[in-house]
Structure formats: structure tokens, C-alpha cells
Amino acid sequence: MKLKPLADRVVVKLVEAEETTKGGIILTGAAKEKPEVAEVLAVGPGGMVDGKEVVMNVKVGDKVITSKYAGTQVKLNGDEVTIVRQNDILAIVE
């Protein structure tokens, strides 16, 4: 199955959190921080959204930081992805 987002929607997949600290301590599953960075998998076309012209500023492959509780989580081919609006993306990681 393949997702094609509509309007100003973006499909992202969270990047795995670090499993060791800078000091070399291995973290258990419960001790890991929730990942903040996600990779863009698909981008909608933009266009008119709520009466305003929306230009998409992200592209497939970008690493982004999204709002913590933004979007809708969906299972896609066994992976969990999140569909967010472009305005829920806070920054592009370079």
C-alpha cells in the first residue's frame, strides 16, 4: 500500500531514538526519549487550503521536527507513520 497525501498533508516516519548515551550507557526501552525527528516519506501538492494558497516547503527525504502530539498515526506495510499538516512541522533539520 502507498499513501498519497492530499492538500497540505505530509507523511512522516519517526527516526529511532539513540540506544546509548554519549557516555556509552545502553538505554532500555522505557528509558529512551521519544524521538523528535522524523523523515518525510510523502508530500501533498499544496494548493488552496481553507481559502489560502499553501506552498509546500518540505520535500521527500527531509528530516523534520513536528509538534509533539500532532497528526494521525497509521500502520503502513508494518511500519507506523504519521500524517501531519505542514503547519505542524516546526523545523527542517539540516
Side-chain angles (χ1 to χ4, degrees):
M1 180 167 64
K2 187 175 177 181
L3 289 178
K4 182 178 177 183
L6 302 175
D8 66 336
R9 303 295 199 288
V10 179
V11 179
V12 297
K13 180 179 180 185
L14 294 177
V15 177
E16 289 294 319
E18 293 284 331
E19 294 191 16
T20 58
T21 64
K22 290 180 183 178
I25 298 171
I26 297 174
L27 300 173
T28 63
K32 291 181 194 175
E33 291 183 21
K34 184 176 178 181
E36 297 175 14
V37 178
E39 181 178 358
V40 176
L41 302 178
V43 178
M48 294 298 285
V49 178
D50 298 329
K52 297 178 183 174
E53 182 71 25
V54 174
V55 176
M56 301 306 285
N57 296 314
V58 295
K59 61 187 181 308
V60 174
D62 281 349
K63 299 270 194 267
V64 297
I65 297 175
T66 62
S67 296
K68 192 169 187 171
Y69 299 107
T72 302
Q73 294 183 342
V74 178
K75 282 265 190 191
L76 178 65
N77 300 330
D79 291 331
E80 193 161 307
V81 298
T82 305
I83 302 172
V84 298
R85 286 181 161 247
Q86 180 175 251
N87 63 359
D88 289 329
I89 295 174
L90 305 175
I92 297 174
V93 179
E94 295 181 344

